[in-house]
Amino acid sequence: MKTIIETKRCYLREFSVDDAQHFYDLNTDKEVIKYTGDVAFQNVQEARSFLENYHQYQQYGYGRWAVIHKETGEFLGWCGLKFSPDDNETDLGFRFFRKYWNQGYATETAKACIDYGFNELQLIKIVGRAMEANTTSIRVLEKVGMSFVGKFEFDLHDGVLYQIEKK
């Protein structure tokens, strides 16, 4: 598959239906999805169906991307940009297997996605949302240069909104 973004340790590529097992495994970890508002896939076929129906690339030219470790080829999780037509904005998101937490992968790939969004896609603003209790994700948003905008309701929880604008 074609590499969209390359970082020091990873490359980001479009999702494939071959990623279904990874998506299933990632979303069945209660700690991984604790602050997402998502529910676990019931089975690998449900994850495959999600991937088959993921149309962000075709509709908007970008989306969330699989994060692959350069040296090992391992699927670490995903990171990327998602356009929301309802809000007319692009959101930065990321999710990684727990064994890759606290190793800088989220910050490294999120920063690369922001750079790509501004330099390749010519976006002028990117937002990031998190549940207020998800201090680790909030820290990543801050590390990549996003600024706090305000609070909002996030799936019946207190949420925070961050953003960064092209300079």
Side-chain angles (χ1 to χ4, degrees):
M1 297 214 84
K2 179 184 166 202
T3 297
I4 305 296
I5 299 172
E6 189 171 331
T7 69
K8 181 179 178 184
R9 299 179 290 170
C10 307
Y11 67 88
L12 286 70
R13 61 158 173 79
E14 290 184 358
F15 297 149
S16 160
V17 293
D18 294 336
D19 296 325
Q21 184 69 53
H22 299 301
F23 267 73
Y24 173 74
D25 293 343
L26 187 63
N27 275 30
T28 56
D29 185 327
K30 288 179 179 24
E31 286 300 307
V32 170
I33 64 170
K34 182 177 182 177
Y35 298 115
T36 66
D38 291 342
V39 295
F41 293 119
Q42 295 297 310
N43 50 49
V44 175
Q45 184 52 45
E46 190 176 346
R48 176 180 286 279
S49 179
F50 167 82
L51 293 166
E52 288 170 343
N53 292 293
Y54 187 81
H55 300 298
Q56 283 275 314
Y57 311 133
Q58 294 83 6
Q59 289 178 307
Y60 308 112
Y62 60 94
R64 309 292 200 210
W65 297 295
V67 177
I68 309 298
H69 193 276
K70 281 183 184 177
E71 290 183 16
T72 66
E74 285 184 76
F75 182 101
L76 307 183
W78 57 260
C79 184
L81 305 170
K82 179 181 177 183
F83 182 72
S84 172
D86 294 339
D87 299 320
N88 193 33
E89 64 187 14
T90 298
D91 173 80
L92 172 70
F94 43 86
R95 189 173 303 174
F96 291 85
F97 282 107
R98 259 197 288 173
K99 67 182 179 178
Y100 302 113
W101 289 4
N102 300 311
Q103 297 178 45
Y105 289 112
T107 302
E108 178 179 329
T109 56
K111 178 68 175 132
C113 288
I114 289 171
D115 290 345
Y116 184 86
F118 289 152
N119 299 322
E120 301 298 322
L121 302 173
Q122 301 303 309
L123 300 174
I124 57 170
K125 179 178 83 169
I126 298 171
V127 301
R129 292 179 177 80
M131 286 186 190
E132 193 170 31
N134 190 350
T135 56
T136 303
S137 288
I138 292 168
R139 183 69 187 120
V140 171
L141 297 176
E142 291 170 346
K143 283 182 182 178
V144 299
M146 289 193 166
S147 300
F148 177 76
V149 174
K151 294 186 178 189
F152 71 102
E153 187 178 301
F154 187 114
D155 290 322
L156 304 177
H157 295 87
D158 291 333
V160 291
L161 174 66
Y162 280 72
Q163 75 178 29
I164 187 169
E165 294 183 15
K166 187 173 184 172
K167 296 175 182 164

